[in-house]
Amino acid sequence: MTATLRPTARFPLTPDLQPPARQADPTAPLHSLPLYSLEVIAPGGRAPQLDGWTVQSWPVASLGDLTIQARPDHPAAPDDLRAALTRAGFTPLGPVRTHR
């Protein structure tokens, strides 16, 4: 015999149960700068440390060693990220994807 579950939530949710709205802080300049992602070949499998960039990396990539996401600390283009990675000894692979 299969039990039927009934939902307990009532819609629309009351204001105190609504998820908080995620709005960018207008005083925080980083929210207006793009987030770039791409794959790289990483020497020794290490994550990049780039001056002027906030970088996150994951060891999951279809082309290279790492997938990275990087947000510039100042206005910068995808070619600036590629140049910074190359100077640091990394090989950028594939397209640089831009996320806003």
Side-chain angles (χ1 to χ4, degrees):
M1 180 171 187
T2 304
T4 303
L5 298 176
R6 295 182 185 260
T8 58
R10 304 274 188 247
F11 294 96
L13 295 174
T14 60
D16 60 325
L17 296 177
Q18 294 287 341
R22 292 187 179 193
Q23 297 178 355
D25 178 359
T27 61
L30 289 182
H31 291 292
S32 64
L33 297 172
L35 179 67
Y36 299 120
S37 63
L38 77 155
E39 294 185 22
V40 297
I41 294 175
R46 63 182 174 84
Q49 299 290 320
L50 305 175
D51 289 333
W53 294 85
T54 302
V55 179
Q56 292 180 309
S57 64
W58 295 268
V60 178
S62 59
L63 299 175
D65 300 320
L66 299 172
T67 298
I68 66 163
Q69 284 188 333
R71 186 180 307 272
D73 296 339
H74 49 44
D79 287 339
D80 298 323
L81 175 58
R82 286 182 169 280
L85 286 164
T86 302
R87 281 192 304 273
F90 293 81
T91 303
L93 300 172
V96 177
R97 293 172 299 282
T98 303
H99 313 276
R100 294 226 178 243

